[in-house]
Amino acid sequence: MTDFLQLFISGMATGGIYALAALGFTLLWQASGTINFAQGEFVMLPAFMMLAFMSIGAPLLVSFVLTCGVAVLVLGWGFKRGVADPLLKFGLMPIVVATIGLSIAMRNGIRAGFSAEAHPFPSLFADKLFNIAGVTVTLIDVGTLALALVLVVGTQAFLARTVTGRAMQAVAQNTDSATVLGINVPRMVFYTFAINAVLACAAALLVTPTYLAKFDMGESLGTKAFFAAIIGGFNNSRGALLGGLIVGVCENLAAAYISPAYKDAVALILFMLVILFKPQGLLGTKIERKV
C-alpha cells in the first residue's frame, strides 16, 4: 500500500504537468478553434530560453520571468499573428498541418542551433524526502503537484470570476454575440494565446528538471497532453486537469506493476477508450462551438 501511494503521488505530480500543457489545448480551441500540435515544443522552447538566460548569470526565477515575457511575444502574439490568424479562415486542417510542421521545425532548429544533447536543468524545489504516515515523498513531487494545481485552478478561477475571464469565455461560446455585446474579440483571443504561452513556460519550469532539456522533450509531452485534453473533455478547461492527472497516475502505476515498456502506451489506450465510449470526454459536452 505504501508503494502504491508513493507511485500515486509521483503520478499526480507528472499529471499536473500534463494538465498545464493540456489546458493550453483547451483554451486555444475554445477561444479561436485552434488546435496546436506544437504544444509540446511550446514547452520545450522556454526550457532552452531559461537555460540561455541562466548561462549569462540570471537566477532561475529571473530567467523564468524573462522567458515568460519573450514567450508571450513569440509563442503568443507571434504564433497568433503569423500562423493562426492567416490559416484559420481556411478551416481546421491547414492549422493542424502548419502546427505539425512548426513542431518539426522547432525541434530541428534547437538541435541544430543549440545542441542535440540533453542538458541538466535546476529544480525549483530542493531534493528532500519526507515521510508522511509511512509514505516517503519528495519535495519535488509535492511542490510540482501543488504549483501545477495552483496554476490550473487559478486559471479556471480567472476565467470564471473576472470580467476579462468571462469576456474570454463569451468569445469562446459565440464570437458574434460577444461582438454585439461590445467585447473586443481580437484582444480576448490574444489574451488566450498569451496565457497559453505563460502556462507553457510554467510547464517547462516544472518538467525539465526530470525530463532534462532536450530538443525532442516536447514530442512525448505534447502527445500526452493532447490525449489528456481529449480524455478530460476538449471543450472543458477543468477536463484538462482531470485528464492530465488520470494519465499521469495510470502511466506511473502501469510502469511499476506491469512493465515500463507499456508506460507510453497508457495515454493512447485511455484515449481510445474515451473516444469509443464517451467521445466528448469525461467532463466535456456535446455542444459544438459556434463561430
Side-chain angles (χ1 to χ4, degrees):
M1 186 62 180
T2 298
D3 291 341
F4 174 84
L5 291 175
Q6 290 173 347
L7 291 168
F8 185 85
I9 294 172
S10 178
M12 290 275 284
T14 303
I17 297 169
Y18 294 159
L20 283 176
L23 183 58
F25 276 111
T26 62
L27 288 176
L28 293 185
W29 172 252
Q30 288 177 341
S32 65
T34 301
I35 296 181
N36 179 22
F37 282 106
Q39 187 71 11
E41 283 64 41
F42 275 35
V43 176
M44 176 272 293
L45 187 60
F48 281 93
M49 288 183 188
M50 283 185 271
L51 280 179
F53 283 122
M54 285 186 286
S55 69
I56 59 175
L60 177 59
L61 289 179
V62 173
S63 299
F64 170 72
V65 173
L66 293 173
T67 298
C68 285
V70 176
V72 168
L73 179 62
V74 176
L75 303 180
W77 182 84
F79 175 63
K80 178 182 180 297
R81 292 297 299 271
V83 179
D85 287 349
L87 294 178
L88 278 174
K89 58 186 176 183
F90 298 110
L92 185 60
M93 188 54 65
I95 194 71
V96 169
V97 174
T99 54
I100 291 174
L102 180 62
S103 70
I104 296 172
M106 291 174 71
R107 287 199 300 271
N108 289 331
I110 289 296
R111 180 170 61 178
F114 199 98
S115 173
E117 299 178 357
H119 299 270
F121 193 94
S123 175
L124 187 62
F125 308 101
D127 188 12
K128 294 183 179 180
L129 298 176
F130 294 94
N131 191 292
I132 304 174
V135 179
T136 302
V137 296
T138 67
L139 179 60
I140 293 176
D141 282 345
V142 174
T144 298
L145 175 59
L147 186 53
L149 290 177
V150 166
L151 289 170
V152 174
V153 174
T155 301
Q156 178 62 30
F158 168 78
L159 294 173
R161 299 183 181 182
T162 67
V163 174
T164 301
R166 288 194 290 268
M168 292 169 63
Q169 292 192 80
V171 170
Q173 292 170 9
N174 192 307
T175 54
D176 290 336
S177 297
T179 301
V180 171
L181 292 172
I183 295 173
N184 189 324
V185 173
R187 180 182 296 174
M188 294 304 111
V189 173
F190 166 70
Y191 287 165
T192 304
F193 279 78
I195 290 172
N196 176 55
V198 173
L199 290 176
C201 292
L205 180 67
L206 296 177
V207 73
T208 312
T210 300
Y211 275 56
L212 302 181
K214 297 180 289 185
F215 74 93
D216 61 348
M217 63 178 280
E219 188 172 4
S220 174
L221 177 61
T223 301
K224 292 177 182 178
F226 176 72
F227 288 157
I230 295 293
I231 291 167
F234 211 67
N235 58 358
N236 190 309
S237 56
R238 288 175 295 179
L241 175 59
L242 177 62
L245 294 179
I246 289 175
V247 171
V249 170
C250 288
E251 71 174 18
N252 222 33
L253 295 177
Y257 293 117
I258 302 177
S259 169
Y262 295 103
K263 180 178 180 179
D264 290 334
V266 169
L268 176 60
I269 293 171
L270 292 172
F271 165 76
M272 294 173 63
L273 290 173
V274 169
I275 288 296
L276 287 172
F277 297 105
K278 196 172 175 58
Q280 71 271 23
L282 299 179
L283 297 181
T285 65
K286 296 182 180 180
I287 300 175
E288 294 185 358
R289 178 181 177 271
K290 298 178 181 180
V291 295

